[in-house]
Amino acid sequence: MERRLLSGDEAVAAAAMDGGVHLGTGYPGTPSTEILEAFSALGGRAQWAPNEKVALEVGLGAAFAGARAVVTMKHVGLNVAADPLFTAAYTGVSGALVVVAADDPGMASSQNEQDSRRYAIAAGLPMLEPADSQEAYELALAALELSQRWQLPVLLRMTTRVCHSKSIVTRQSAVAPAPVPRFARDVASRVMIPAYARPAHRRLRKKLESLEAWGETAPLAIWREGSKALGVIANGVTARHVREAAPEASLLELKLVHPLPLEKIRAFAASVERCVVIEEGDPVIADAVRAAGIPVEGKAPSFRFGELDVPRVRRILARDLSPEPEAPKGKPPQLCEACPYHPVYSTLKKLGCIVAGDIGCYTLGVLPPYEGMDTCVAMGASLGVGLGLRHVLPEEDARKVVSIIGDSTFVHTGLNGLVEMVYNPPPTGHVLVVLDNGTTAMTGQQEHPGTGRTLDHEPTAKLSIEGLARALGVANVDVVDPIADPAGFERLLAGRLSRPQLSVIVARRPCILAAADIRKYEKAAAAAGCAACPEVENV
Amino acid sequence: MSDVVNVVFAGLGGQGVIKASDILADAAFRAGRDVKKAEVHGMSQRGGSVTSDVRFGREVLSPMVPRGEAHYLVVLSPSEVAVTRPLLGKAGVLIPPDLVDEAALPNRKSLNVALLGALARHLDLPDEHWLAAIRAALPERLHEVNERAFRLGREAAGRAG
Ligand code: SF4
């Protein structure tokens, strides 16, 4: 059996391989991005979707056909995928569907620290949570089995510390080969008109009930006997912090975090004098356990913020509420020196624009010296927010509003905002600047539908941002290179701001970190005489 | 947990902080130890502060080095020394960037591996595993340069110690 040092993300990819996954799909989002890249490198079939909702729908379709599918995203991506997720709980699956959601307690690279366990409860889906890479491997395999057995999508919750930590993983040898997908018609299960959805909801609750009963005895809650004076209930990597901080304590480590094995928890709590629930993020377990009438102690509200670690766990156990030491104040990230966004930000600043921004490298333009972004809410939100500002501000200010968005984010959810812009144009018009650097730079240079290459950098059809804008009827559509012609960019932007019309400016220049690779892929495609990439020379 | 060795690497994005921690983790793994390595990256690639924790021993539980309990702190950027100092334990050893004379390095980019050489002097990990880990982490054309950097760092630590 192979033993290797793997990150949690790589371990999930290995499980997808060994568990016979037919298709992996997702949208890049730190810290989940490496799962699909590693799955592809191992020889799995992996692809990037334009956004998480589409990824989940593709995975669901594959699972309807009897295949095994894995869909990956970060926690905020689960918000985008939530719509199909809730209904997928009703329809169930024929093969297996595992949705990996990577949470980011402490917000190493995210705009909020929401707790995805709430989605498992709200959607009524089982959720597993690993503590290290070995468990990430084992629980990803278990999630595939559970999904197949209960005919339900299964959520696998990861956190930054599990995704990006490396530890030793022993892979199992042969796992049973996955059956070849076959479509069997089942309209009443898969078409959720109310008449079919009502019984489907009852079926879901029944499945959850039997799953809960199974979970009471399944090896997904590990009871470590220790002192009778202190017992701790913990999940994920937090359980490891607890073992280190309080080696003498009794510990119940929960791997199945929804539904909870409440009877086992009741017995555990009764076996110790003091029982503390220690969990990162929301008090999900503590609340559920207390609601079941089991008296436990939770963590103080101040520990709701950020990651837990060994010293913080010691504090929780000691009920120590004294001020915690400040984290080292490091140097914030910044735009690369020769980044094509520099001239864009200096122009926006010079023209005194009100900038509705979005998520990507260019979000770093919010920092000095530019401080060039006034809003940044969610993927694709720059369009809607910019339009809202335009609708209500006095004309003079409305004319200064610009929405800026990156190419990958534009394809993700910006496109819907462009449709809104055309449909409900503000009286002053609006200006959208698409910063097209030819890659998804922030997460590590992934491809997207606008680059004309698949996850493996192989040529495929290429979406044209300017073509789309023209097709939707935007009055002014221009493409400029902000590095080659910064003065031209400034003239163009100033001119467009003064017109009461809709304008889209595509500021196109490859990310300097990605440029060499992009050239290499293009060369390879040209050498292969690829016909699918007619726009290659414009990149 | 008493046999667990805690090492924290610190520096700026692009300096090879993560690569250095990968090499140490791999060397410890090859030497048969239990290993955990944890870092926070993402935004950190854009020149901001990066730290990476490596812990190895008989059994490692939490992947994060508790603040103030690092045995070794390897810092690649002068600006990060003061900032990360509180991570180091009382009897801990600081391996600062100026321990190695950058001008003597065959390639400035190999400072991370040179500082690993300095660290190696303190750790009980056989040389063969260090070298295998360096080779596994880097493309072949960089092997020689980095092996030289590793030896340089090791000698520098000898002089300093
Ligand atoms: S990675 Fe690319 S897009 Fe991001 S800041 Fe650097 S040059 Fe700019």
Side-chain angles (χ1 to χ4, degrees):
Chain A
M1 256 170 267
E2 195 198 9
R3 275 178 98 237
R4 289 190 56 195
L5 202 51
L6 296 181
S7 72
D9 281 348
E10 290 165 336
V12 172
M17 251 354 250
D18 297 347
V21 166
H22 298 85
L23 182 67
T25 171
Y27 183 81
T30 312
S32 70
T33 311
E34 294 85 351
I35 299 172
L36 287 184
E37 291 177 331
F39 181 52
S40 175
L42 289 170
R45 180 161 161 202
Q47 55 199 39
W48 293 127
N51 67 30
E52 296 83 356
K53 176 180 186 288
V54 176
L56 180 57
E57 289 155 352
V58 172
L60 185 61
F64 280 162
R68 291 185 154 200
V70 167
V71 183
T72 72
M73 60 196 66
K74 68 186 293 178
H75 60 325
V76 283
L78 195 52
N79 299 332
V80 180
D83 200 358
L85 181 76
F86 279 60
T87 307
Y90 282 19
T91 62
V93 295
S94 305
L97 176 62
V98 174
V99 180
V100 185
D103 285 10
D104 190 11
M107 296 178 282
S109 54
S110 308
Q111 65 270 38
N112 71 38
E113 51 184 335
Q114 73 187 40
D115 189 326
S116 291
R117 291 178 298 168
R118 301 282 194 200
Y119 271 109
I121 299 164
L125 288 173
M127 178 180 258
L128 299 172
E129 181 174 346
D132 62 11
S133 302
Q134 180 70 48
E135 277 192 12
Y137 176 78
E138 284 165 10
L139 293 185
L141 280 176
L144 287 166
E145 294 302 326
L146 276 185
S147 177
Q148 193 113 30
R149 168 160 171 204
W150 301 91
Q151 304 276 279
L152 271 179
V154 172
L155 290 159
L156 183 69
R157 180 193 189 225
M158 312 269 284
T159 56
T160 303
R161 284 297 163 181
V162 175
C163 291
H164 284 170
S165 289
K166 277 193 179 176
S167 55
I168 298 169
V169 175
T170 307
R171 272 170 84 168
Q172 295 172 16
S173 31
V175 178
V180 177
R182 239 190 95 255
F183 186 72
R185 182 162 236 173
D186 185 357
V187 174
S189 301
R190 293 185 191 143
V191 183
M192 286 299 110
I193 56 171
Y196 293 152
R198 284 186 202 108
H201 189 190
R202 291 187 184 282
R203 276 200 305 276
L204 169 65
R205 294 296 150 189
K206 268 227 145 55
K207 283 186 194 175
L208 275 175
E209 242 172 63
S210 52
L211 192 88
E212 199 172 328
W214 172 84
E216 292 288 353
T217 54
L220 293 172
I222 299 172
W223 186 325
R224 294 177 188 275
E225 295 274 0
S227 124
K228 292 276 163 254
L230 174 65
V232 179
I233 299 169
N235 61 310
V237 69
T238 304
R240 298 297 156 90
H241 303 328
V242 171
R243 278 171 68 188
E244 185 163 339
E248 74 294 345
S250 295
L251 176 65
L252 188 63
E253 279 187 47
L254 300 176
K255 314 287 169 209
L256 180 67
V257 292
H258 184 257
L260 290 170
L262 286 169
E263 292 318 309
K264 192 175 257 180
I265 291 172
R266 194 184 303 277
F268 178 81
S271 76
V272 292
E273 281 158 41
R274 178 183 173 212
C275 186
V276 188
V277 175
I278 305 191
E279 55 193 319
E280 223 164 40
D282 291 347
V284 174
I285 299 170
D287 287 354
V289 168
R290 286 202 196 104
I294 306 167
V296 289
E297 192 180 320
K299 60 178 198 248
S302 57
F303 296 101
R304 169 64 190 86
F305 307 97
E307 291 187 286
L308 296 183
D309 56 12
V310 173
R312 294 189 90 198
V313 167
R314 288 187 195 127
R315 279 173 176 267
I316 294 172
L317 289 173
R319 301 192 184 103
D320 178 357
L321 293 178
S322 65
E324 296 183 63
E326 293 253 337
K329 233 190 148 37
K331 184 168 167 288
Q334 56 188 32
L335 292 174
C336 301
E337 222 165 276
C339 177
Y341 299 149
H342 285 293
V344 173
Y345 276 106
S346 48
T347 305
L348 290 168
K349 188 166 183 165
K350 190 164 164 199
L351 298 181
C353 294
I354 298 170
V355 180
D358 225 298
I359 312 253
C361 270
Y362 51 99
T363 313
L364 299 173
V366 73
L367 301 173
Y370 302 117
E371 300 180 66
M373 201 179 271
D374 295 287
T375 72
C376 176
V377 181
M379 290 286 284
S382 59
L383 274 119
V385 171
L387 290 167
L389 288 165
R390 282 255 183 183
H391 282 307
V392 299
L393 283 176
E395 187 178 332
E396 194 195 328
D397 287 339
R399 283 187 179 286
K400 293 185 200 147
V401 179
V402 175
S403 291
I404 59 172
I405 192 167
D407 47 342
S408 184
T409 312
F410 174 78
V411 177
H412 178 275
T413 32
L415 191 43
N416 307 44
L418 184 59
V419 173
E420 168 68 11
M421 175 168 143
V422 173
Y423 184 53
N424 290 312
T428 57
H430 191 45
V431 178
L432 169 68
V433 178
V434 182
L435 303 166
D436 183 2
N437 63 4
T439 186
T440 315
M442 188 54 131
T443 46
Q445 298 153 29
Q446 286 74 29
E447 307 288 358
H448 62 74
T451 67
R453 283 179 300 275
T454 62
L455 181 142
D456 291 334
H457 315 295
E458 295 296 329
T460 181
K462 176 174 171 149
L463 181 141
S464 159
I465 298 168
E466 56 274 29
L468 266 168
R470 286 192 190 107
L472 285 174
V474 175
N476 312 293
V477 179
D478 300 274
V479 181
V480 289
D481 180 338
I483 291 274
D485 185 13
F489 174 67
E490 186 183 325
R491 260 197 318 279
L492 181 66
L493 183 59
R496 293 298 179 248
L497 283 170
S498 67
R499 283 190 200 180
Q501 289 177 333
L502 295 182
S503 304
V504 170
I505 301 173
V506 181
R508 179 167 291 149
R509 177 86 179 191
C511 158
I512 52 150
L513 295 191
D517 281 336
I518 293 176
R519 274 197 298 277
K520 199 176 74 198
Y521 305 142
E522 282 171 1
K523 261 205 194 116
C530 177
C533 37
E535 283 188 66
V536 150
E537 67 278 4
N538 299 338
V539 178
Chain B
M1 287 301 293
S2 54
D3 73 325
V4 170
V5 178
N6 294 331
V7 185
V8 176
F9 292 86
L12 299 177
Q15 282 192 310
V17 172
I18 309 242
K19 186 64 95 191
S21 65
D22 270 328
I23 293 171
L24 168 60
D26 190 25
F29 170 63
R30 286 167 193 265
R33 309 293 212 292
D34 187 23
V35 192
K36 285 208 166 117
K37 189 203 88 151
E39 81 250 358
V40 178
H41 51 92
M43 305 260 293
S44 56
Q45 290 178 24
R46 311 288 171 267
S49 302
V50 194
T51 62
S52 184
D53 297 0
V54 179
R55 315 185 74 194
F56 61 92
R58 205 162 24 85
E59 189 192 14
V60 183
L61 295 170
S62 168
M64 295 144 84
V65 173
R67 189 191 160 86
E69 294 180 27
H71 301 112
Y72 303 95
L73 173 63
V74 182
V75 190
L76 276 78
S77 163
S79 68
E80 300 298 292
V81 175
V83 189
T84 52
R85 189 104 208 198
L87 304 174
L88 195 58
K90 282 199 183 65
V93 176
L94 172 75
I95 299 182
D98 54 11
L99 184 75
V100 180
D101 175 13
E102 263 200 57
L105 284 178
N107 179 340
R108 270 188 45 230
K109 285 206 142 175
S110 54
L111 177 66
N112 58 346
V113 174
L115 293 180
L116 276 178
L119 176 69
R121 203 144 188 129
H122 299 273
L123 302 180
D124 169 30
L125 296 173
D127 250 21
E128 56 189 285
H129 297 317
W130 277 111
L131 293 177
I134 290 171
R135 283 188 211 117
L138 298 163
E140 211 184 319
R141 63 192 161 79
L142 297 177
H143 286 180
E144 221 210 281
V145 178
N146 280 282
E147 280 165 29
R148 254 168 55 213
F150 184 77
R151 280 196 302 272
L152 264 166
R154 186 171 256 236
E155 285 155 25
R159 279 195 302 278

